[in-house]
Amino acid sequence: MMQADLELSPIGNCQVSALLDREGAFVWGCVPRVDGDPVFCSLLNGDVRDRGIWRFELDGQTKATQRYERNTAILVTRLESEDGSAVEIHDFAPRFERSGRMYRPVAYARIVRPVAGAPRMRVVLTPMKDYGAGLAATTNGTNHVRYLIGPQALRLSTDAPVGYILEGRSYRVESDQHFFLGPDEPFVGNIRDEVRRMEAMTARYWRHWVRGLHIPLEWQEETIRAAIALKLCQHEETGAIVAALTTSIPEAANSQRNWDYRYCWIRDSYYTVQALNRLGALDVLEKYLAYLRNIVDQARGGQIQPLYSVMGADDLHESEAEHLAGYRGMGPVRVGNAAYKQVQYDCYGQIVMPTAQAFFDTRLLRMADERDFAHLEEVGEAAWAKHDKPDAGLWEFRTRQEVHTYSAVMCWAACDRLANVAATLGKGDRVVFWKKRAEAIRETIETNAWKKQGQHYGASFENGYLDASLLQLVELRYLKPDDERFLKTFAAVERDLRRGDHMLRYAAEDDFGAPETAFNVCTFWLIEALGLVGREEEAREIFCSMLSHTTSSGLLSEDLDYETGELWGNFPQTYSLVGIINCAGLLSKPWSEVR
């Protein structure tokens, strides 16, 4: 049996998602939403790979190849056998407009087509319940199987032989077969016609969505794949954007750095909507702004926590799923994330900055108004109150707090952008008010974060160690690329944190020891910095090197072993996909060169 790896391809519809391995098996998928029970959990089931999986096994199988239908989230897997027979599997989660609403059911659809010879196939469908505690019990009818996964059930409707599926027998596939695993209700209509119609409508939706993107001339396929994956990380019902679709893929082998990323981090979401906004994907921004408005409304006195559930819940109690052994047996598998209890003051800037666009962008269906500004000022007040206070920082240290430079700069950005918003609303007194606060925070940063001895900014006010977030000083408009202080800090960061073509987030020991892998978004921050300071050829070389590490689906996880090139960490990681989009846009030749 093959060892689990991150050569995975996502499908989804912004309600549910699944990760498929290189042979087209569902190895990860949660219902009824991304932070729900992983009915497909074999990815985290150690060596027990036949539980929590949905795969089609071809007798005598020798080869598997995959591709996405162009500009869609529809995955096509071709399985070939030693006798020359072959099947093609089309996988998708239905998503299209119907009756004036977006149809995005808690459902997965699969079509198996015999394309060569006389293939024989076995269906292995073993959903689990309660985070791997047991197999789902089944009942069945003539053309369906019900899987009981707790208080609810999933129903498989199919025109394939139900008896063969239940008994795990191989059979000859002589015609197209259709599978719809969804709500526990009778499937309405002819399953062959309806599933094919769903596939066509879903393909049409994604192609029209991609058609509206403003992509760079170079690296178009890479940008499109990253954009679609980011879109799949949004829970459309609320607008929340999760950091990744998985939990507990370790940042390095046996590191215990196993975290549940199926939640909405204010920080990660800011970077995601920023990248997609650069591509013109305003639908993601609009829905996320609605989510933010709800978060701000429920915040007491402007106090914002670092992350929330996709439904906006603020209690994300962290526990361990004792029945799952973990990725390659490297547990624990964590459910929930205790970081919600932390104070991370960069979140104030990351709320203000995307929301500020709604006061300027006339394309939006709902532009922000003075009522929104009043709520946003409460966030600004919190930023002002906390800009020089210790926090856990963007790296979420669990056992120590400092006044982190990145957090302070984000508080500065909150006040700076509020001044811009006040100006467009014609509130001259508030412009002066917020500009003065931004200037005061800048003075505090310059006094405390600049380390005279090392001639660079430090990662915190208290200490002179470096972290990669200092490369964001230009992106946040705190400094310009040619500022002497930035250039000196950049040189120091490269000296201490760069490992070949990759970047550590920091080198100092943390709660779990010294970091063992590169943090992919930090490498993309390096690439951006290189491009901005005029080292474009080097930036392009490292960018192409990073793209060589993507999966066949064109995606990246959170971390990378800079010696072996192996991917680690949760997948697909929004931070890393943002890096692909931003760097492609920065480094690409202009469209004017081909017009």
Side-chain angles (χ1 to χ4, degrees), residues 285-565:
L285 172 65
E286 285 185 312
K287 290 180 175 65
Y288 178 63
L289 288 178
Y291 179 80
L292 273 188
R293 286 192 291 270
N294 278 305
I295 294 298
V296 171
D297 283 350
Q298 73 186 37
R300 294 177 292 276
Q303 298 297 314
I304 305 295
Q305 64 187 47
L307 67 152
Y308 297 84
S309 81
V310 296
M311 300 305 294
D314 56 7
D315 186 350
L316 305 178
H317 173 72
E318 185 177 299
S319 60
E320 295 182 5
E322 60 184 25
H323 299 289
L324 293 175
Y327 180 75
R328 299 183 186 172
M330 299 175 187
V333 173
R334 292 190 170 95
V335 181
N337 197 305
Y340 81 93
K341 298 178 181 178
Q342 294 182 352
V343 289
Q344 298 174 25
Y345 297 138
D346 57 318
C347 64
Y348 299 122
Q350 289 142 357
I351 285 180
V352 171
M353 284 191 286
T355 306
Q357 179 174 336
F359 292 89
F360 297 91
D361 196 335
T362 58
R363 297 172 298 170
L364 295 171
L365 295 175
R366 182 199 182 278
M367 292 189 67
D369 55 25
E370 293 196 8
R371 293 169 301 173
D372 297 305
F373 181 65
H375 286 296
L376 213 55
E377 283 198 298
E378 292 182 9
V379 179
E381 289 289 350
W384 167 252
K386 302 297 185 181
H387 74 274
D388 58 353
K389 301 297 188 296
D391 71 351
L394 80 162
W395 309 125
E396 300 185 343
F397 297 122
R398 293 198 167 198
T399 60
R400 70 176 191 263
Q401 291 190 351
E402 296 176 300
V403 183
H404 290 93
T405 302
Y406 178 84
S407 298
V409 172
M410 274 293 182
C411 290
W412 166 85
C415 297
D416 178 74
R417 300 330 188 252
L418 277 168
N420 295 342
V421 172
T424 198
L425 293 176
K427 296 179 177 294
D429 59 328
R430 305 311 290 170
V431 173
V432 173
F433 179 85
W434 288 112
K435 277 189 174 181
K436 284 185 176 179
R437 288 197 162 176
E439 290 166 1
I441 295 175
R442 178 183 284 275
E443 184 177 345
T444 299
I445 294 169
E446 293 303 310
T447 300
N448 295 282
W450 181 257
K451 310 303 176 183
K452 292 181 180 179
Q453 184 174 355
Q455 286 293 290
H456 59 74
Y457 289 99
S460 75
F461 286 10
E462 296 90 340
N463 293 291
Y465 73 92
L466 295 148
D467 79 1
S469 70
L470 296 168
L471 300 179
Q472 288 288 282
L473 294 175
V474 171
E475 172 66 29
L476 295 173
R477 302 207 307 264
Y478 183 82
L479 296 175
K480 293 183 178 180
D482 59 355
D483 189 292
E484 183 180 358
R485 289 195 168 195
F486 176 72
L487 293 174
K488 288 182 176 179
T489 300
F490 185 16
V493 169
E494 274 199 279
R495 180 195 67 220
D496 285 10
L497 303 184
R498 185 169 171 178
R499 301 292 186 270
D501 287 345
H502 304 284
M503 182 70 76
L504 303 179
R505 51 187 164 181
Y506 48 82
E509 288 197 4
D510 61 16
D511 313 334
F512 293 85
E516 302 172 60
T517 51
F519 205 64
N520 288 329
V521 71
C522 297
T523 301
F524 287 117
W525 289 348
L526 166 67
I527 295 166
E528 289 181 84
L530 290 169
L532 290 170
V533 301
R535 295 160 62 183
E536 292 186 11
E537 184 175 345
E538 186 179 359
R540 288 176 68 94
E541 288 177 359
I542 298 177
F543 184 47
C544 290
S545 173
M546 280 299 291
L547 294 178
S548 73
H549 293 293
T550 60
T551 62
S552 61
S553 56
L555 308 178
L556 286 168
S557 62
E558 181 183 38
D559 307 273
L560 184 147
D561 187 318
Y562 51 84
E563 293 183 350
T564 67

Side-chain angles (χ1 to χ4, degrees), residues 39-70:
V39 294
F40 301 113
C41 56
S42 69
L43 181 66
L44 299 185
N45 219 3
D47 294 332
V48 186
R49 301 295 303 284
D50 279 345
R51 292 189 166 205
I53 200 165
W54 186 6
R55 68 170 178 262
F56 300 113
E57 293 181 354
L58 202 61
D59 285 2
Q61 182 177 315
T62 57
K63 184 179 180 182
T65 54
Q66 279 181 329
R67 62 180 174 85
Y68 280 103
E69 290 280 10
R70 191 175 76 89

Side-chain angles (χ1 to χ4, degrees), residues 85 130 139 190 200 247 264 267 274 378 409 465 479 490 517 538 555 578:
S85 60
D130 300 330
T139 64
N190 180 291
T247 176
C264 183
R267 178 189 313 112
Q274 178 198 54
E378 292 182 9
V409 172
Y465 73 92
L479 296 175
F490 185 16
T517 51
E538 186 179 359
L555 308 178
V578 164

Side-chain angles (χ1 to χ4, degrees), residues 10-19 28-40 44 104-106 108 131 152 229-247 260-265 291 308-311 334-336 570-572 574:
I11 62 169
N13 61 6
C14 302
Q15 174 65 40
V16 291
S17 56
L19 296 177
W28 183 258
C30 304
V31 297
R33 57 180 188 250
V34 65
D35 59 354
D37 192 1
V39 294
F40 301 113
L44 299 185
R104 43 176 176 77
V106 179
Y108 306 101
Y131 282 85
Q152 59 185 334
L230 286 180
K231 172 78 170 172
L232 293 180
C233 287
Q234 182 166 58
H235 184 67
E236 186 167 278
E237 181 181 3
T238 62
I241 300 168
V242 298
L245 299 178
T246 57
T247 176
D260 193 346
Y261 277 8
R262 300 171 300 158
Y263 304 108
C264 183
W265 268 259
Y291 179 80
Y308 297 84
S309 81
V310 296
M311 300 305 294
R334 292 190 170 95
V335 181
N570 283 305
F571 179 90
T574 53

Side-chain angles (χ1 to χ4, degrees), residues 83-148:
D83 65 4
S85 60
V87 298
E88 197 173 76
I89 308 162
H90 288 225
D91 286 301
F92 64 98
R95 178 176 172 82
F96 50 87
E97 280 197 30
R98 188 176 77 174
S99 303
R101 295 176 293 178
M102 188 61 67
Y103 177 66
R104 43 176 176 77
V106 179
Y108 306 101
R110 313 192 75 174
I111 301 173
V112 179
R113 295 189 170 103
V115 292
R120 292 184 63 84
M121 182 183 77
R122 184 167 77 103
V123 181
V124 179
L125 179 50
T126 57
M128 303 196 77
K129 61 182 181 180
D130 300 330
Y131 282 85
L135 288 170
T138 64
T139 64
N140 67 279
T142 306
N143 297 302
H144 75 268
V145 183
R146 296 176 69 242
Y147 296 91
L148 308 177

